[in-house]
Amino acid sequence: MYYFPLQPPYFLLLVGFLTALTSGLALSGTLKVIVQKWPTERTENTKPRSSLKQLLVPFIGITGGTSLFLSSGLAIFGFPSSLALGVGLPISVFTCLLVWLQLGSMMTFIEREGMQSLDLDSFS
């Protein structure tokens, strides 16, 4: 016997997708502004952690939108709401946490070594 939800959360799926998309655009714009300011504000007091604080709100938006999108998608495919949330939330939060840690280490590396250190074409 198949389980079909009476009212699949298509609206929540769309809201989650649009939240993650707009937060990603905000994160991209903020990151571009931060990187453009680095050459002009090259002081010893600038820490990479202060740059990450500016990126926290858009990144939380991406995490929330991704969680909502994944949980709603699972609910559309027949998972009960509690199970969809129980699977979707930890997966998206854990993935976003790993991306956040990688972003912080990459920003620290770029500040220390410069943008030229990321030129992968020079290794061939």
Side-chain angles (χ1 to χ4, degrees), residues 22-77:
T22 55
S23 297
L25 292 173
L27 181 81
S28 172
T30 307
L31 192 56
K32 285 178 186 176
V33 168
I34 289 171
V35 170
Q36 287 174 354
K37 285 183 181 180
W38 278 351
T40 60
E41 297 178 356
R42 200 68 164 153
T43 62
E44 298 298 322
N45 297 344
T46 306
K47 304 229 189 234
R49 296 294 171 207
S50 65
S51 303
L52 284 176
K53 288 179 185 176
Q54 297 173 1
L55 299 173
L56 187 61
V57 172
F59 203 82
I60 289 173
I62 292 172
T63 305
T66 305
S67 299
L68 186 61
F69 179 79
L70 187 58
S71 299
S72 299
L74 289 173
I76 287 171
F77 283 111

Side-chain angles (χ1 to χ4, degrees), residues 38 101-112 118:
W38 278 351
L101 294 174
Q102 183 66 30
L103 178 65
S105 67
M106 288 301 293
M107 287 181 68
T108 304
F109 180 74
I110 291 172
E111 270 193 331
R112 191 181 57 228
L118 292 180

